[in-house]
Amino acid sequence: LALDSSKYPNHDDKLIANSVVTDNMTMLKESMQDVESGNFGNKVIYGDLSNGGVSTGTFSSIVTDDQQKQYLEYVEQIKAGTFL
């Protein structure tokens, strides 16, 4: 997420509002389970919101509590497959 600096005159550039965290351990664990079960290979292992491979990081101080709440509601909708 980025915000237009014209709305925040104290900032000269666009500002990053929050971060995204990746967890490669999720995908590594799945691949090791496939190795142990004899099913390794011939598939793509994804890391996304549904399996914890990607998650929401910290928010910048410019993001209000209401904005954070709305953003996290969108994240939950994406996880549930109901966003848009």
Side-chain angles (χ1 to χ4, degrees):
L1 295 176
L3 299 177
D4 187 305
S5 61
S6 66
K7 295 181 182 178
Y8 299 92
N10 295 330
H11 302 287
D12 294 332
D13 297 318
K14 290 183 177 181
L15 186 64
I16 296 173
N18 88 310
S19 60
V20 174
V21 177
T22 60
D23 181 0
N24 294 326
M25 184 59 78
T26 300
M27 294 166 287
L28 180 61
K29 183 179 177 181
E30 185 176 339
S31 65
M32 292 298 102
Q33 290 170 340
D34 286 351
V35 168
E36 289 174 348
S37 68
N39 295 318
F40 183 76
N42 298 319
K43 77 173 192 178
V44 176
I45 296 174
Y46 295 95
D48 58 25
L49 287 169
S50 69
N51 66 9
V54 177
S55 60
T56 303
T58 58
F59 289 95
S60 164
S61 61
I62 66 163
V63 182
T64 67
D65 289 342
D66 287 341
Q67 290 168 327
Q68 289 182 34
K69 180 181 175 185
Q70 182 66 57
Y71 180 86
L72 294 173
E73 287 174 6
Y74 291 150
V75 169
E76 290 305 314
Q77 289 174 22
I78 293 167
K79 286 181 181 180
T82 60
F83 184 74
L84 300 179

